[in-house]
Amino acid sequence: MKPLFRPAILTLALLGLAAGTGCSAAAKHAGPSAAAAAPSAVGVCPTAASMPLPKDFPKTLPVPDGAVVTSVEHRTGGRLVVATVVRGGFETALAFLQKQLPEAGYALEEGEVEADDAESNFSSGTVEGRWTLRKMPACEGGVYLTYLTSAVS
């Protein structure tokens, strides 16, 4: 995969975006995207229903069942940022990404796992991007999961 993003800057941007997100209903590929869903408070489990995944979110990119889409951002260069909150704990979300993305045809590259967060680049023949995970201390079993994607150029 050719470098699409500077990993340190990307990670900080995604974590910053995820910091304002809030954990509840299921996400589906549907409908138009909105700018953001307002959580009740930063770091607290979301109480609002999930936003739909935008139509341009890669259809083959696995998203955990029950993920709550809390924000969607379209950036320059065809980049898409989708922030979610998932339940079930950090280790469960990490295992999902490490198993389901390769099974769906995505190669994981340049990743790292720490006690409270993890991230990895990923790519397929048509999509490249990065996912980040971060524990939510104020939301039992809650984990921020953010995807940054773009079409392979």
Side-chain angles (χ1 to χ4, degrees):
M1 176 172 129
K2 65 182 179 181
L4 179 63
F5 315 104
R6 293 182 180 210
I9 293 171
L10 175 61
T11 299
L12 291 174
L14 290 176
L15 290 176
L17 178 64
T21 63
C23 308
S24 184
K28 302 221 182 307
H29 288 281
S33 64
S40 57
V42 173
V44 177
C45 295
T47 56
S50 178
M51 298 172 57
L53 283 169
K55 288 182 181 181
D56 53 341
F57 187 82
K59 301 287 185 233
T60 60
L61 186 58
V63 176
D65 289 338
V68 177
V69 177
T70 57
S71 70
V72 173
E73 181 182 348
H74 289 87
R75 294 188 178 171
T76 59
R79 295 175 297 155
L80 174 66
V81 178
V82 175
T84 72
V85 173
V86 296
R87 292 293 198 121
F90 180 80
E91 291 77 17
T92 301
L94 179 60
F96 173 89
L97 293 165
Q98 290 177 330
K99 182 177 190 286
Q100 296 300 317
L101 270 70
E103 286 183 3
Y106 292 87
L108 301 178
E109 304 164 346
E110 300 178 18
E112 74 172 8
V113 177
E114 296 177 5
D116 294 337
D117 63 66
E119 63 266 344
S120 178
N121 293 337
F122 60 83
S123 64
S124 70
T126 58
V127 176
E128 57 190 2
R130 186 167 182 85
W131 57 258
T132 63
L133 282 180
R134 186 168 55 106
K135 286 184 181 178
M136 297 177 65
C139 179
E140 187 173 337
V143 182
Y144 293 114
L145 168 57
T146 305
Y147 294 94
L148 173 62
T149 62
S150 68
V152 171
S153 50

